[in-house]
Amino acid sequence: MESKKKVVIACGGTGGHLFPGVAVAQEMKRRGHTVRLLISEKKVDAQASAKYGDLEFDTVPAIAKPATLSLKMLPFLWKLLKTTAKCKGLLRKFEADAVIGMGGFTSLPPVMAGKKLGAKTFVHDSNALPGKANRLTAKWCDKVLLGVEEARPYFPESAIEITGTPVREELYSLPAREAAAEKLGLDPTLKTVLVMGGSQGAKQLNSLVVQASKAMPDIQFIHITGNFDHDRVKAEMGEHCPNHKLIAFCDDMPSIYAVTDLAIMRSGASSLSEISYLGLASILVPYPYAAGDHQTKNAEVFAAANAAVLRQESDLDAGMLVADVTHIFAKSENLEKMSAASAALGVKDAATRVCTVIESL
Ligand SMILES: CC(=O)N[C@H]1[C@@H](OP(=O)(O)OP(=O)(O)OC[C@H]2O[C@@H](n3ccc(=O)[nH]c3=O)[C@H](O)[C@@H]2O)O[C@H](CO)[C@@H](O)[C@@H]1O
């Protein structure tokens, strides 16, 4: 019989790391393993993990490496060592057999601690252009699990497993559109556009969508602004916008996706794994300041497959957004083709694939 393992999943820092970590935890638990998630002390992690009361979380300090070699490296290295020592304590107490880091420098100390204690170590990277922390960690960990083929050239071939990026189990089956629309205060019969800015800010995109929606009164918009930008967008929208609903942060993505016909969003890897899992069409506007412009690389995968329209924020105006949305909705076959292309990029069994690799070592 398969031996049961104790697995630590390091997934702090942003929703893009946390939610795939939750997805892995849910599947490992379902298979009878014991799991513990390490997240950061940031508010965003506390907010995003709050609804997963059946999972066990510990916090470790968030670590960010300075962009350039400077004196700032000294406090970074000190924090790295201190946090690794703290992680060693947590891992010893938990008697971890395996540690998987879901990306970002916040994942580095737990995986380093796991390596020092002789646990099996893994990193998962969901992006087409992998992050620096994962490229560093991959040099000495047992397996590198990738969300997309495009990341393959950045890692040692012998360590690679292509798994896709897991989505949380509540997305496996969505509520009915009518029920979800009622819950969200929307009209289920109207074409519905989801706007999702991502964790790092989408001020300009948020403003452009507000202008664009005013020109498309027959289409309804459900717009996640991010906590930081909600009041500004609300003020900008003004009083009478019956077709445009704002949410600061949503802890019920299944309902949101159940009513979505088209998404206008950043191209963070986790959001992309979700829309492809669900076969949703999109207009992608990469976050312009993402490290190495990796969101453009993510979006290019979707645009090349005709699953999405790719627009750079610097070139975009409200008129272009109106034209894109109008064109996509003009014929049902436009949306159907994009949706089918999106679904073809989705990896339905990503959680199973990740867990099978962890179990195999
Ligand atoms: C700016 C930046 O560098 N962001 C990076 C960050 O993702 P970042 O956290 O910005 O964004 P992602 O799109 O990857 O993930 C967002 C996640 O949050 C969820 N969500 C979002 C809004 C909300 O109200 N409720 C909610 O649950 C989404 O469903 C999704 O699961 O890590 C990703 C994975 O390495 C990268 O691809 C992104 O480029």
Side-chain angles (χ1 to χ4, degrees):
M1 211 186 76
E2 191 73 58
S3 73
K4 297 303 173 200
K5 295 190 190 295
K6 292 188 169 181
V7 181
V8 166
I9 302 166
C11 55
T14 75
H17 299 147
L18 196 141
F19 291 126
V22 165
V24 174
Q26 290 170 328
E27 177 62 16
M28 285 309 277
K29 247 187 109 170
R30 204 187 60 72
R31 292 169 172 236
H33 303 290
T34 311
V35 287
R36 214 162 176 98
L37 293 99
L38 295 190
I39 57 175
S40 80
E41 292 152 348
K42 286 187 190 173
K43 187 180 160 206
V44 57
D45 280 4
Q47 187 176 35
S49 59
K51 71 179 276 194
Y52 300 101
D54 55 334
L55 296 175
E56 287 175 43
F57 292 88
D58 280 310
T59 55
V60 289
I63 300 220
K65 188 179 144 301
T68 50
L69 274 179
S70 67
L71 278 178
K72 287 189 188 145
M73 281 303 269
L74 292 175
F76 163 72
L77 289 172
W78 171 241
K79 203 171 174 188
L80 184 64
L81 290 176
K82 233 173 85 175
T83 310
T84 304
K86 178 176 177 179
C87 291
K88 266 171 102 173
L90 289 170
L91 262 54
R92 250 198 219 106
K93 203 166 144 205
F94 181 60
E95 299 174 330
D97 301 305
V99 183
I100 177 165
M102 303 304 292
F105 275 94
T106 299
S107 285
L108 187 56
V111 183
M112 271 170 70
K115 181 77 183 172
K116 283 190 179 155
L117 294 175
K120 295 293 175 195
T121 50
F122 306 84
V123 286
H124 178 276
D125 202 303
S126 50
N127 294 291
L129 176 65
K132 283 192 182 139
N134 274 355
R135 288 198 237 172
L136 190 69
T137 319
K139 291 190 199 302
W140 43 261
C141 70
D142 292 297
K143 284 279 172 199
V144 182
L145 315 183
L146 300 181
V148 290
E149 273 288 343
E150 284 72 7
R152 193 184 275 278
Y154 301 94
F155 295 107
E157 187 57 36
S158 59
I160 293 173
E161 300 280 347
I162 306 285
T163 58
T165 296
V167 306
R168 297 165 273 171
E169 63 187 15
E170 60 261 41
L171 296 173
Y172 291 178
S173 143
L174 298 183
R177 182 180 176 103
E178 287 71 21
E182 193 182 337
K183 199 167 172 190
L184 296 165
L186 297 171
D187 180 343
T189 65
L190 291 181
K191 283 269 179 283
T192 305
V193 176
L194 162 65
V195 185
M196 187 155 61
S199 61
Q200 302 296 307
K203 263 178 134 175
Q204 194 179 334
L205 179 62
N206 282 342
S207 295
L208 288 177
V209 176
V210 167
Q211 288 171 44
S213 77
K214 289 183 200 256
M216 295 182 280
D218 297 335
I219 294 170
Q220 93 193 321
F221 289 75
I222 176 97
H223 185 160
I224 304 176
T225 57
N227 289 325
F228 50 85
D229 207 22
H230 184 262
D231 293 346
R232 189 192 66 84
V233 179
K234 198 170 170 204
E236 204 167 89
M237 210 166 78
E239 283 302 304
H240 191 64
C241 286
N243 67 327
H244 198 131
K245 191 171 175 66
L246 300 182
I247 303 183
F249 175 81
C250 174
D251 66 358
D252 181 12
M253 290 307 291
S255 293
I256 295 261
Y257 285 133
V259 297
T260 300
D261 296 299
L262 171 70
I264 299 177
M265 55 182 231
R266 294 297 195 203
S267 36
S270 291
S271 304
L272 290 177
S273 68
E274 291 170 0
I275 64 162
S276 57
Y277 184 90
L278 299 166
L280 291 171
S282 57
I283 297 170
L284 299 176
V285 186
Y287 177 60
Y289 310 106
D293 198 20
H294 69 264
Q295 288 208 352
T296 294
K297 298 281 181 289
N298 289 344
E300 280 169 355
V301 176
F302 278 64
N306 296 317
V309 172
L310 165 55
R311 296 287 180 212
Q312 293 295 351
E313 191 166 272
S314 52
D315 304 333
L316 192 63
D317 60 33
M320 280 166 80
L321 268 183
V322 174
D324 283 341
V325 173
T326 310
H327 172 75
I328 292 168
F329 283 151
K331 285 193 209 147
S332 57
E333 66 182 73
N334 292 350
L335 197 61
E336 280 160 19
K337 278 188 190 157
M338 289 177 81
S339 302
S342 171
L345 292 172
V347 184
K348 288 277 183 194
D349 61 347
T352 306
R353 291 195 202 183
V354 170
C355 294
T356 304
V357 176
I358 298 173
E359 282 171 342
S360 71
L361 291 189

